[in-house]
């Protein structure tokens, strides 16, 4: 993407949150990453997100994140839009990565700076400093998992900042979703940050979702989204219900651990998580395998195992 207008035009649909495959020694497996990216593009995903929270960016150095950005953009080119997570607590690092992401033709995804006792006014000021740094604009990620949840009133302030092209909403409180959809819809792009419960936000008028579990279940989650996109809410609901037991495992044992384990069982390049996370072991792996076998037995899912 070359500018903010193109970002606004292309930022919609279903985006795969691509996990970062690490070797047992904690190194990047760029060949495996490329295969994972190609798989979802070939299936018809509208875009990808690289180096996000489930891409394990907090375990990476600034230099590693920059290398990751460049590597993926070399693979993708301009075939689909790419969100590049430039989040962090150090404004200097966030600024550097935000600038780089825009220069590479990606869309920087920025969270509030996760430092203690930061005020809403300071958060707004932070985003005002970040937005002009990227020629493609920025995507604001409202990510409760970092310990900061932006209320709708603050998101409305952020929506007025020039260069903010979208909001990825991780707070799935129905009241907040309803307010955001009706007050900000049409002004900028709205993304649901969770594939664990995306039917509601999409029905409210959000423009797209980002999905980590599509690394493990790319066919099923894509089919669910397309059904909803085509107005077939009944089919979307039925497909979404099919993988509830898997979602329960993901909630219990964590993402990206479950996603990577499931990918490995399917013959994909999930590989390992980085410390301080730990790979799933033993009985938990068997739980994941049993769920994949159940899904594979249902022709509606499109799931196969190696």
């Amino acid at each position: 993407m070359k500018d903010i207008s193109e970002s606004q035009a292309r930022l919609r649909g279903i985006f795969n949150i691509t996990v970062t495959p690490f070797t047992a020694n904690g190194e990047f497996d760029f060949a495996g990453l490329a295969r994972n990216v190609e798989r979802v593009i070939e299936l018809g995903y509208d875009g990808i997100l690289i180096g996000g929270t489930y891409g394990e960016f907090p375990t990476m150095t600034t230099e590693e994140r920059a290398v990751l950005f460049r590597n993926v953009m070399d693979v993708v080119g301009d075939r689909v839009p790419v969100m590049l997570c430039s989040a962090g607590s150090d404004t200097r690092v966030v600024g550097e990565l935000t600038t780089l992401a825009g220069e590479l033709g990606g869309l920087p995804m920025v969270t509030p700076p996760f430092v203690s006792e930061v005020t809403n006014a300071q958060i707004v000021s932070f985003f005002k400093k970040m937005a002009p740094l990227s020629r493609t604009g920025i995507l604001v990620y409202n990510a409760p998992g970092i310990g900061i949840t932006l209320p709708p009133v603050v998101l409305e302030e952020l929506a007025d900042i020039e260069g903010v092209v979208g909001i990825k909403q991780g707070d799935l409180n129905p009241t907040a979703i309803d307010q955001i959809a009706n007050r900000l819809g049409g002004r900028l792009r709205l993304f649901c940050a969770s594939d664990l419960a995306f039917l509601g936000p999409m029905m409210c008028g959000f423009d797209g979702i980002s999905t980590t579990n599509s690394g493990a279940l790319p066919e099923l989650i894509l089919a669910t989204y397309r059904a909803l996109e085509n107005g077939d809410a009944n089919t979307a609901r039925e497909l979404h219900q099919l993988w509830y037991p898997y979602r329960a495992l993901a909630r219990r044992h964590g993402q990206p651990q479950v996603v990577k384990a499931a990918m490995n069982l399917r013959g994909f390049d999930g590989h390992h998580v980085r410390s301080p996370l730990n790979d799933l072991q033993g009985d938990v792996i068997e739980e994941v395998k049993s769920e994949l076998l159940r899904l594979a037995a249902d022709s509606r899912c499109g799931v196969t195992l190696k």
Side-chain angles (χ1 to χ4, degrees), residues 235-248:
T235 296
R237 183 181 64 251
E238 291 170 1
L239 292 174
H240 194 61
Q241 288 174 338
L242 287 177
W243 63 287
Y244 174 77
Y246 173 97
R247 294 198 297 278

Side-chain angles (χ1 to χ4, degrees), residues 4 7 23 103 127 135 146 196 214 230 268 290 306:
I4 292 173
S7 293
T23 69
E103 289 174 349
F127 280 109
R135 68 177 187 178
I146 67 171
L196 302 181
S214 59
N230 293 330
F268 302 162
S290 294
K306 64 177 181 179

Side-chain angles (χ1 to χ4, degrees), residues 152 155-157 159-160 167 178-190 207:
L155 293 175
E156 289 187 48
E157 279 194 75
D160 289 331
I167 292 171
D178 184 53
Q179 185 171 342
I180 291 165
N182 284 281
R183 294 181 66 87
L184 297 182
R187 289 176 55 187
L188 73 174
R189 298 299 191 193
L190 301 176
D207 299 292

